[in-house]
Amino acid sequence: MKADQTPAPKILVLASGSGTNLQALIDASRERDFPGEIVAVGCNKPKAFALERAAQANIETFVVDHTKYDSREAFDGALMAEIRRHNPDLIVLAGFMRILTTDFVRALRGQMLNIHPSLLPKYTGLNTHQRALEAGDDTHGVSVHFVTEELDGGPVIAQAEVKVLEDDTPESLAARVQEKEHLLYPIVVRWFCEGRVQLGSDYVLFDGELLKSPMRLPDSE
Ligand code: GRF
């Protein structure tokens, strides 16, 4: 509950790995004027470090271990039950490495964000840093988008660019992209919680207007 007694939008974060984006969101959510509250963190891997980060921040956690389910539908059903229990306004995928079923994604339409390490629509899927290097791109980056049925294909809300350096390796490039991720995701989550971004039929509404191209984080490099 924030100072004006209006309940803050509830955020549920799903992660599979180390959770550096989760940490950036936790840190941002501790700022006095942050307009949302992280109510739970869910993981599909019982040993994900993201769970420790959440526990250290006194955030409730849950695990839905995908290896214990026979099908994607069964896994998604169990995950949905956990999500419903927390009744969030927003689901934030932060390195959640499971492909979700169409029914699951449809049920949460307009309420689920993902961060993807490329300048979408370039390089959906995996190994984005390597693919940007192999293609000889001068610029790479990160996108935050609404989740729709199409993998990494939902309307993009915001992007941040990173210049590719001559001696970059996938690892060095990934590290600089991650710095941008940690800046960008809290900004977009804040916008969502403030009611500034919404999903239209196949576009983003920003402050009630059609967003013609993704918002850009100013390039500080
Ligand atoms: C990030 O690179 C994100 O773009 C991708 O998965 C990674 C998660 O990293 N979707 P972390 O667990 O937040 O450190």
Side-chain angles (χ1 to χ4, degrees), residues 14-24 50 53 93-97 114-118 125 128-129 141-143 152 174 177-178 181-182 185:
L14 295 178
S16 300
S18 84
T20 62
N21 280 284
L22 167 67
Q23 191 64 55
R53 293 182 190 272
L93 304 184
F96 187 64
M97 302 303 283
N114 183 40
I115 190 158
H116 182 76
S118 77
T128 58
H129 310 300
V142 54
S143 306
D152 300 327
V177 170
Q178 275 233 319
E181 293 182 13
H182 302 157
Y185 222 177

Side-chain angles (χ1 to χ4, degrees), residues 20-193:
T20 62
N21 280 284
L22 167 67
Q23 191 64 55
L25 291 165
I26 290 172
D27 294 347
S29 72
R30 287 183 172 144
E31 286 162 20
R32 240 173 175 278
D33 66 342
F34 195 79
E37 185 190 355
I38 303 176
V39 293
V41 171
C43 287
N44 61 310
K45 293 191 177 176
K47 291 195 175 152
F49 190 62
L51 291 169
E52 283 191 35
R53 293 182 190 272
Q56 282 193 6
N58 288 318
I59 297 170
E60 207 184 311
T61 61
F62 63 86
V63 174
V64 183
D65 183 346
H66 64 279
T67 64
K68 304 254 185 318
Y69 296 85
D70 291 341
S71 65
R72 281 196 194 279
E73 288 72 20
F75 169 75
D76 280 8
L79 184 60
M80 187 62 90
E82 284 290 341
I83 291 173
R84 294 290 185 221
R85 196 163 67 78
H86 292 283
N87 192 26
D89 300 288
L90 172 65
I91 292 101
V92 175
L93 304 184
F96 187 64
M97 302 303 283
R98 299 297 301 164
I99 293 175
L100 298 163
T101 56
T102 301
D103 284 352
F104 183 96
V105 170
R106 282 200 186 138
L108 297 170
R109 192 172 194 286
Q111 279 187 278
M112 186 154 54
L113 302 179
N114 183 40
I115 190 158
H116 182 76
S118 77
L119 295 174
L120 290 170
K122 276 188 159 185
Y123 314 129
T124 59
L126 298 174
N127 303 322
T128 58
H129 310 300
Q130 172 131 13
R131 287 156 69 199
L133 289 176
E134 281 169 5
D137 292 356
D138 311 328
T139 320
H140 184 46
V142 54
S143 306
V144 175
H145 64 95
F146 277 107
V147 178
T148 60
E149 291 93 317
E150 201 186 328
L151 183 70
D152 300 327
V156 177
I157 302 165
Q159 295 182 319
E161 287 185 9
V162 168
K163 286 192 183 71
V164 178
L165 306 178
E166 217 156 278
D167 57 353
D168 258 330
T169 61
E171 292 72 29
S172 65
L173 187 53
R176 293 205 310 292
V177 170
Q178 275 233 319
E179 283 175 25
K180 298 284 186 186
E181 293 182 13
H182 302 157
L183 296 174
L184 189 67
Y185 222 177
I187 291 173
V188 178
V189 169
R190 179 183 274 273
W191 286 338
F192 184 96
C193 291

